[in-house]
Amino acid sequence: MNNFPEDTFIAIACRIDSKRLPGKAIKHLVGKISSIEILIYRLKKIIPSKQIILTTTKEDNCDILNEIAEKNNIKCFRGCKLDVMERFIKAGEKYGNYHHIVRVTGDNPLTDPNIIIEMIDYHKKSFSDYTFTQSIPFGTRPEIINFQFLKKLHKKIKNKNNTEYMTFYLKQEIGQKISEFKKDYIKILDDETLTLDTLEDFNYLKKIFDYCGSDIYTDLANIIEIINIKKLKKEK
């Protein structure tokens, strides 16, 4: 498992009721494998199952996410629909004595666990409260957060129903140490994003996996190389 640190957990934020692409997390990207399962599979290649928590809501339509978590032997925490930050905090408190949290969104099935490992190492060596990256494509960017800092930040937020936009709050200056993880990476020539938010995004990701030979474990560098060689673009 590449010695993934025991004091760190992965928090996947995921819901079903997307306005732009309803049920996107459970749409099949490769054969009968859903988008959220691809993300889970990719993470589990390196990260122990016990340190991956799918955080979702208590709404009935999210029951299927709980079933997917159980099927894949990872934990599931169900909490407030709008206060995503609270979900992360309560999940961490319930399932372990953690010092750091890796924020991953269910919209980002191509998140690369190898980069997560590198970012955690950089985060700890920098003694950071919050570590982000812009070196890799949008839609593949994890964030590393000191757990105590996250709890402190949450207490300061007045309108907690907006914490879905967590990056905005994490970058607000309250005396924390913020670090940017930089990595030399091939750029996507057409500057496409790799997140899953619209039908166009969905079709684009399906096209990428078609060219990857349905290898859901393909690392990010190889994925970008395929996109550039095949000149893959979104159909607008």
Side-chain angles (χ1 to χ4, degrees), residues 25-86:
I26 56 174
K27 287 188 176 295
H28 296 165
L29 265 181
V30 178
K32 295 185 178 180
I33 307 175
S34 65
S35 171
I36 189 64
E37 286 182 291
I38 289 173
L39 173 60
I40 293 168
Y41 292 166
R42 288 172 63 82
L43 294 174
K44 283 175 63 178
K45 186 178 181 182
I46 287 179
I47 299 162
S49 298
K50 65 181 181 179
Q51 286 166 259
I52 303 173
I53 306 174
L54 179 61
T55 69
T56 189
T57 77
K58 296 178 180 178
E59 295 180 310
D60 291 344
N61 63 4
C62 289
D63 288 350
I64 189 169
L65 294 176
N66 187 67
E67 293 169 8
I68 287 172
E70 289 181 355
K71 172 186 170 185
N72 288 281
N73 196 34
I74 66 170
K75 296 178 175 66
C76 182
F77 180 85
R78 304 181 71 170
C80 179
K81 176 180 178 179
L82 298 177
D83 191 350
V84 180
M85 199 178 291
E86 181 188 72

Side-chain angles (χ1 to χ4, degrees), residues 134-217:
Q134 294 179 311
S135 303
I136 56 180
F138 183 80
T140 67
R141 299 170 181 172
E143 295 167 294
I144 320 298
I145 312 159
N146 177 281
F147 198 46
Q148 291 302 317
F149 163 66
L150 188 67
K151 290 194 280 188
K152 176 183 175 182
L153 175 63
H154 186 254
K155 290 178 181 178
K156 291 180 176 291
I157 296 173
K158 293 181 180 179
N159 183 3
K160 293 181 170 54
N161 287 338
N162 284 331
T163 64
E164 179 179 4
Y165 307 102
M166 200 179 300
T167 301
F168 169 80
Y169 291 106
L170 289 167
K171 290 186 176 180
Q172 296 300 298
E173 181 56 54
I174 59 169
Q176 76 275 38
K177 181 174 182 182
I178 299 176
S179 297
E180 180 178 2
F181 174 78
K182 295 181 180 180
K183 184 178 179 69
D184 289 332
Y185 234 78
I186 306 168
K187 303 298 181 184
I188 297 177
L189 298 180
D190 286 302
D191 198 29
E192 303 283 11
T193 67
L194 297 179
T195 195
L196 176 55
D197 190 46
T198 65
L199 181 59
E200 291 77 17
D201 293 335
F202 177 75
N203 290 331
Y204 181 57
L205 292 178
K206 278 184 70 72
K207 191 186 300 184
I208 291 170
F209 277 112
D210 286 344
Y211 279 100
C212 287
S214 298
D215 180 6
I216 61 173
Y217 299 111

Side-chain angles (χ1 to χ4, degrees), residues 10 20 34 119 147:
I10 308 289
R20 284 180 288 271
S34 65
M119 286 186 66
F147 198 46

